[in-house]
Amino acid sequence: MDFKTAVANEILSALKAAFGEVEIAPADIAAALEIPPDTALGDYAFPCFKLSKALRKSPMMIADALAAGIHADFVGRVESVKGYLNFFIDRAIYAEKVLSLARAQGERYGADDSGAGKTVVLDYSSINIAKRFHIGHLSTTMIGNSLYRLHRFFGWRAVGVNHLGDWGTQFGKMIAAYKRWGDHDTVAAGGVDEMVKLYVRFNDEAKENPALNDEGRAWFKKIEDGDPEALEIFNWFKSVTLKDAERVYDMLGVTFDSYAGESFYNDKMQPIIDSLRDKGLLKEDQGAQIVDLADYGMPPALILRSDGATLYMTRDLAAAKYRKDTYDFDKSLYVVAYQQDLHFRQLFKVLELMGYEWSKACEHVAFGMVSFEGEALSTRQGHVVYLDELLTQAVEKARAIIDEKSPDLENKDEVARQVGIGAVVFFDLYNNRIKDIDFSWDRALNFDGETGPYVQYTHARACSVLRKAAGAEKAEPDFAALADPFSQDVVRLIEQFPDILKSAVNRSEPSMVTRFAVDLAQAFNKFYYENKVMVDEPGTRAARLLLTDVVRQTLKVALYLIGVEAPERM
Ligand code: ARG
């Protein structure tokens, strides 16, 4: 039983004792409990205003009656103030309850089985074939990865889908360019960069020689018709791109269960188009087939171009249906940049108009733009920051800092990797996802700021304290030693961890976990500065060591849930 529930149960029995049977569930009481901004007002406050109507009594009277009826020993004191019932928890018992629960549940602390039997499909990263993986795809990759881990933590079955951008006329052009100027070994060695070069050259030369475009179209037609040579080259481009991308995914520790991208739906769109037609949703507009969404204040959804070609939307409709049929999801998340907001509103609306109840279970998890050291990313002006280069640089910079700060560390390369990459990921997930991010080396790698390295360093410090204490005699913790405000701040954060994780899942907002990790690290460092852990008094020492261990465990889990590793030595 968690602490909040214990308080809620006390309120419920006091309510029954004072007013007889009341129509309120313990969970509703727990949900109504507030945490006062100032601990001088108590650790919890229960507002009695809602009950006032049902009980036909003033909130002040209810709060007075409840205050008189609460005697549990973990409640140090209660006060009735202006319709609020303020709880002051006995600090020693509070620390004991919170830390013992966290300790007993270990790395499952904060989790529950609320997702058992449920499935979530997550569409994230979803990179484009024959394009370099640049930092514009970092947020989708890391938010998706974190949501994947968070859902699994709560018992969901999670299906991670990389909806590859592997369809479009550009691939016809790329093949045409490859046939004219390319050769196998150069592309095999140069990877995506070589493909991009070919494509750029094709577009340049096509300006002088427009006949090239016909060649490109002809090759695209061949891909569509399943011509073996065209398919072979195209699939090879795809595998070269994925090989490059996989290196980045390995560095980031990100995985997928499916790489079914746009081309996967080539043979799955006809039933959708038929069904749209049968349901009278398809309309002709200047030769194209559309779904009119004017009634919903949106431009029409384009289903077929006038030449009969399918579109991004057509493929997403087929993908949504396929995911429902294949995985029978309870929730389907699309972690895609805010710029595609309209696309997803249209998509979900068309699904709804098709009569699919489950369109309600689809959600666009939008996020803001990333710039780099103040410069917007633009392929045209050449300010492109490639993710593998960024990560490699981060690792090098972390390595330099480690060489300076901890010259004697054993596995410096491994730790530099964990810290460098962790810094980038942490920075990316630090703000509310809808906010734009400006990536900065100084701010990402600062060991004293609100950064990944700072949290990792705090975790390593806790590990080091525990290592040094390993030989000390064991004793029963004296929880009264944790009554000081610094210890209590740590305990309070530990207690809030489960709720924070739940909100992070419900709002698809990993930044709540990132922020929490910083808050906990800061509170622990204050505690550590103010309180000596290895004191002589065994009860006090045991209590402080227990707190340190729970902080270590909680930071490790929090970091894992946002996709950041937690080295034990730094
Ligand atoms: N490949 C697209 C892009 O890079 C993102 C695809 C998102 N997923 C989807 N089902 N539309 O912009």
Side-chain angles (χ1 to χ4, degrees), residues 123-128 137 163-165 262 312 316 319 323 334-336 340 343-344 347:
D123 177 324
Y124 58 104
S125 201
S126 300
I127 51 167
N128 301 314
H137 275 101
H163 186 77
L164 298 176
E262 294 182 32
Y312 186 52
D316 256 333
R323 290 172 191 176
Y334 296 80
V335 187
V336 186
Q340 296 194 29
H343 170 75
F344 286 103
L347 172 65

Side-chain angles (χ1 to χ4, degrees), residues 323-565:
R323 290 172 191 176
K324 183 64 193 175
D325 292 345
T326 310
Y327 306 114
D328 194 22
F329 58 71
D330 298 274
K331 186 152 102 172
S332 179
L333 303 180
Y334 296 80
V335 187
V336 186
Y338 179 75
Q339 281 93 323
Q340 296 194 29
D341 174 62
L342 176 63
H343 170 75
F344 286 103
R345 282 193 292 125
Q346 290 176 311
L347 172 65
F348 302 156
K349 183 50 85 179
V350 175
L351 292 170
E352 183 192 323
L353 294 175
M354 293 179 82
Y356 295 131
E357 229 347 81
W358 48 264
S359 68
K360 287 191 195 66
C362 299
E363 192 191 318
H364 177 202
V365 178
F367 55 84
M369 286 204 313
V370 187
S371 54
F372 186 77
E373 301 281 12
E375 296 198 72
L377 280 180
S378 143
T379 333
R380 241 170 272 139
Q381 281 141 35
H383 297 313
V384 195
V385 181
Y386 296 118
L387 208 45
D388 51 349
E389 286 169 7
L390 180 87
L391 294 173
T392 310
Q393 266 192 57
V395 173
E396 281 164 12
K397 285 179 191 273
R399 172 71 205 229
I401 298 174
I402 291 168
D403 278 337
E404 190 195 308
K405 290 201 173 203
S406 325
D408 303 327
L409 191 70
E410 260 172 34
N411 46 348
K412 280 193 206 156
D413 283 336
E414 169 72 353
V415 176
R417 185 188 63 74
Q418 295 171 313
V419 173
I421 289 171
V424 172
V425 173
F426 199 95
F427 193 90
D428 187 61
L429 296 179
Y430 189 60
N431 284 309
N432 206 303
R433 61 180 154 77
I434 208 67
K435 276 200 188 165
D436 292 345
I437 303 174
D438 181 35
F439 188 85
S440 131
W441 283 122
D442 280 350
R443 278 181 292 131
L445 279 167
N446 186 340
F447 275 52
D448 302 316
E450 300 176 353
T451 62
Y454 171 74
V455 175
Q456 287 174 319
Y457 189 72
T458 308
H459 169 266
R461 164 179 278 176
C463 289
S464 142
V465 171
L466 294 162
R467 254 192 324 267
K468 286 184 191 133
E473 73 186 276
K474 298 275 173 287
E476 274 300 302
D478 173 9
F479 290 98
L482 301 180
D484 69 285
F486 304 103
S487 309
Q488 288 286 308
D489 283 346
V490 174
V491 173
R492 198 167 307 108
L493 283 165
I494 299 286
E495 192 215 345
Q496 288 166 11
F497 188 52
D499 277 352
I500 285 173
L501 294 183
K502 274 186 211 96
S503 306
V505 174
N506 293 337
R507 300 186 206 168
S508 304
E509 189 61 84
S511 68
M512 297 184 77
V513 185
T514 320
R515 297 261 163 175
F516 169 84
V518 167
D519 290 346
L520 182 59
Q522 286 174 341
F524 176 72
N525 285 322
K526 278 202 198 106
F527 155 86
Y528 186 75
Y529 183 76
E530 299 289 338
N531 295 314
K532 192 166 177 313
V533 174
M534 293 309 285
V535 289
D536 289 338
E537 208 287 299
T540 300
R541 188 176 64 218
R544 289 181 181 161
L545 281 171
L546 173 61
L547 180 130
T548 303
D549 194 29
V550 169
V551 167
R552 175 202 59 75
Q553 158 194 312
T554 309
L555 286 179
K556 183 177 172 197
V557 171
L559 287 174
Y560 169 79
L561 291 172
I562 54 170
V564 174
E565 290 181 57

Side-chain angles (χ1 to χ4, degrees), residues 13 20 63 72 79 129 149 152 154 202 208 255-256 290 303 307 331 349 356 378 397 415 424 456 499 517 549 567:
S13 11
E79 271 174 8
I129 295 304
R149 292 182 180 195
R152 285 175 57 114
F154 284 100
F202 184 92
E208 310 290 308
T255 57
F256 300 92
I290 61 154
I303 307 297
D307 63 3
K331 186 152 102 172
K349 183 50 85 179
Y356 295 131
S378 143
K397 285 179 191 273
V415 176
V424 172
Q456 287 174 319
D499 277 352
D549 194 29

